[in-house]
Amino acid sequence: MAVTNAMFTIERVLRASPARVFAAYATLEAKSAWFKAPSDIETLNRDLDFRVGGKERFHARWPGGLVTDFQATYHDIVENERIILVYDLFHNGDKLSVSLLTLELRAEGDKTRLIHTEQGSYLSGGDEAVKGREHGTTWHIDNLVALIEGRELKAFV
Amino acid sequence: MLQYQAQPLDLAFQALSDPGRRAMVERLSRGPASVSELAEPLPMTLSAVVQHLKILEEAGLVSSRKTGRVRTCTLEIAAMTKVESWIAERKRFWNQQYDQLETYLSENSQEESH
């Protein structure tokens, strides 16, 4: 099994104070309102214990049958400033990655710059880990990713 | 540690932000096609298709080769490496979540008490 270490950042300027952005992370009710799947999924487990050492879980079955499991542990929380967590991501029970995710909130006037820095160990466990994502023939961005990963190469080779 | 450069990928995602270009990529995912074959099902002019192709080529998603009078286009995204695809998928996931966070924050802006 190969391991790839990689890092990326995402920056967003949000029209809300750091306190409001922080609040969106701090309770299960608030976080469930936005940290969610866009389609009709079946939620299998959903928990959030937002404190250092506390855990979060979002375990769900997608319409195509894929079961995704996000399991996080909070390592550092500074109110309205930063949240550091480590999360594992599973697809159909196979671990795809372990990531250190640092979220920084910086006030910019009445807005907040959200800086997401993710350092991950990405585990490639062969096709089994990702087979669940192959469903349907309708083109959308997920299919593109599948294509990039080479799983649908036979479709056009 | 590999420091991944996201720029080429951002270019690819920008290129794919357009539904017409996604339709062209979809068509090419089934096999190479000529420019006119690509244009046929699309509600756009041939010159618009050529413009879109240029963007897809610059993003490294599509290559084209001219044989006689026919330009044949091929999907090249298979050339992207595994790590690029991982990062692409993860970035796409989080960007989607942050879109939802923005919506959530705007819907709840009246409830702010501090």
Side-chain angles (χ1 to χ4, degrees), chain B residues 92-103:
Chain B
R92 181 188 59 82
F93 170 78
W94 286 114
N95 274 312
Q96 199 169 55
Q97 298 305 316
Y98 294 141
D99 287 346
Q100 291 167 185
L101 174 59
E102 275 185 67
T103 307

Side-chain angles (χ1 to χ4, degrees), chain B:
Chain B
M1 180 168 159
L2 186 145
Q3 289 291 326
Y4 175 71
Q5 297 297 317
Q7 238 162 351
L9 210 62
D10 288 344
L11 214 58
F13 271 72
Q14 269 167 33
L16 289 164
S17 63
D18 179 88
R21 290 197 287 272
R22 283 202 298 276
M24 292 164 69
V25 170
E26 180 185 5
R27 168 62 190 87
L28 290 174
S29 74
R30 298 197 296 271
S34 69
V35 175
S36 51
E37 281 170 339
L38 271 180
E40 199 196 336
L42 297 172
M44 56 175 92
T45 63
L46 200 63
S47 67
V49 168
V50 170
Q51 283 301 312
H52 283 309
L53 264 179
K54 192 162 167 259
I55 292 166
L56 288 169
E57 285 194 58
E58 282 167 0
L61 293 166
V62 169
S63 67
S64 72
R65 201 162 45 107
K66 199 164 186 178
T67 312
R69 295 173 61 185
V70 180
R71 182 170 288 280
T72 304
C73 306
T74 310
L75 199 60
E76 286 294 336
I77 57 178
M80 287 189 180
T81 66
K82 188 88 182 167
V83 62
E84 285 172 321
S85 68
W86 278 120
I87 305 304
E89 180 162 359
R90 210 51 68 89
K91 282 187 89 168
R92 181 188 59 82
F93 170 78
W94 286 114
N95 274 312
Q96 199 169 55
Q97 298 305 316
Y98 294 141
D99 287 346
Q100 291 167 185
L101 174 59
E102 275 185 67
T103 307
Y104 168 78
L105 290 169
S106 66
E107 284 169 354
N108 288 272
S109 58
Q110 289 83 8
E111 293 166 28
E112 189 166 13
S113 56
H114 39 252

